[in-house]
Amino acid sequence: ADSCFSDFYRVLCQTEYIDIIACGTAFHAGLCAKEAIERLARIPCEVTVASEYRYRDPIVKENTLCIAVSQSGETADTVEAVKLLKERGARIIAVTNCGFSSVTRMADVVLPVCAHAEICVAATKSYIGQLAALYMLANRLRPHEAKRELLNAAAGISDVLKERQKAVSFADMCAGSRAVFFLGRGSDYGAAVEASLKLKEVSYIFSDAYPAGELKHGTLALIDESTLSVFIICESTVAEKCVNALEQVLSRKGKAVVVTCLDDVEERLCGKAEVWRIPAAPPALTPMLSAVALQLLAYYTAVKLGKDPDKPRNLAKSVTVE
Ligand code: M6R
């Protein structure tokens, strides 16, 4: 990976704009990466679903870098969108779990995710690997520091796994709910959309995700005692605003649970909602930890409902046709 990073630094030094292109879970990794890249590398970054991008007539500015995120490297929409960006002069970095693929063949640099083969349809370890690779990428000016932070985050993931009993009790609440909403702000929003996809994909419970500030612009109308709202609150600058939104849910008799790494959130809630404390991490890395907690939630909910989480109905591991 070191040689790949030095190639990457060369490319990134000339980069003025970044377009992240991906589908599904890889797109959600891109949403978290945008937060990290803009925060740490200070390069403007857009994230677009590949199936939308490929049918646009995009303005690709000079010195644009396309980051194509794809576990398989064979997703048809991602391949076509990357082709378009390449034709219009963008340089391409492929963030992928498969060394040789249609996407890697078009790439100037390949950043391997190294998550090993992922057999189950639901992307889980490849998503965590994508977040880690994209975090390294965002940290181009301090790679050694970033490596240390990633190692700490890996230790934090082990701690989350030890607390899996929390996921079992949250799963009871999920399984008995008519709908589950995931809410967060900043990089917690990226974590929320992925958590929502994972839950609906393996449990077939209706689920959606919103930036927590959007709650009062419509979704609040759906909240009642039959819904569960899962708040992810790891962004300290907007934590208080998320707690306010949570109180709105509780006052409509909605059920709510919280995943947080912040001391004051637990204190402020004073037992009004169940809390899963996860280890602290730098803000751009907390989605790696909350994601594992929420993958466990999806897993135990599916198991509780008698569904096979490895083989969701109607879905294929790799979507190679439109
Ligand atoms: O192979 P890719 O990363 O390009 O696949 C993209 C999506 O099809 C994929 O992430 C899908 O959303 C997941 N299997 C969901 O868990």
Side-chain angles (χ1 to χ4, degrees), residues 138-179:
N139 275 279
R140 68 192 170 118
L141 297 177
R142 32 168 241 138
H144 297 296
E145 193 68 7
K147 270 187 200 169
R148 192 180 50 75
E149 288 165 354
L150 277 171
L151 288 172
N152 289 343
I157 288 175
S158 303
D159 292 342
V160 172
L161 290 168
K162 283 185 207 139
E163 294 280 315
R164 58 177 59 221
Q165 204 45 45
K166 270 280 182 200
V168 176
S169 75
F170 284 13
D172 284 341
M173 295 170 83
C174 257
S177 299
R178 176 175 58 81

Side-chain angles (χ1 to χ4, degrees), residues 115-273:
H116 300 291
E118 187 174 63
I119 308 298
C120 65
V121 169
T124 48
K125 62 180 183 173
S126 66
Y127 172 70
I128 304 295
Q130 285 163 353
L131 291 180
L134 290 162
Y135 187 70
M136 286 303 287
L137 209 147
N139 275 279
R140 68 192 170 118
L141 297 177
R142 32 168 241 138
H144 297 296
E145 193 68 7
K147 270 187 200 169
R148 192 180 50 75
E149 288 165 354
L150 277 171
L151 288 172
N152 289 343
I157 288 175
S158 303
D159 292 342
V160 172
L161 290 168
K162 283 185 207 139
E163 294 280 315
R164 58 177 59 221
Q165 204 45 45
K166 270 280 182 200
V168 176
S169 75
F170 284 13
D172 284 341
M173 295 170 83
C174 257
S177 299
R178 176 175 58 81
V180 180
F181 301 111
F182 289 86
L183 299 121
R185 298 179 77 135
S187 54
D188 293 332
Y189 170 64
V193 284
E194 172 56 13
S196 171
L197 172 63
K198 217 88 298 171
L199 181 74
K200 70 176 75 135
E201 177 177 32
V202 302
S203 74
Y204 317 142
I205 295 175
F206 174 77
S207 168
D208 211 343
Y210 303 93
E214 281 291 292
L215 186 65
K216 57 188 173 301
H217 296 290
T219 309
L220 204 49
L222 297 173
I223 302 295
D224 63 18
E225 57 283 347
S226 68
T227 63
L228 174 67
S229 299
V230 180
F231 283 81
I232 305 153
I233 313 182
C234 296
E235 289 271 7
S236 57
T237 51
V238 281
E240 195 176 334
K241 304 210 173 289
C242 288
V243 173
N244 292 342
L246 186 146
E247 282 166 347
Q248 295 284 309
V249 167
L250 294 175
S251 68
R252 269 83 183 173
K253 299 198 168 42
K255 294 174 284 175
V257 297
V258 179
V259 174
T260 184
C261 64
L262 304 170
D263 289 333
D264 46 341
V265 168
E266 197 165 8
E267 280 161 23
R268 168 122 191 244
L269 286 171
C270 314
K272 283 187 274 183

Side-chain angles (χ1 to χ4, degrees), residues 23-26 69-73 75 78 121-123 130 197-198 201 319:
C23 297
T25 290
V69 189
S70 176
Q71 190 283 133
S72 62
T75 299
T78 305
V121 169
Q130 285 163 353
L197 172 63
K198 217 88 298 171
E201 177 177 32
V319 185

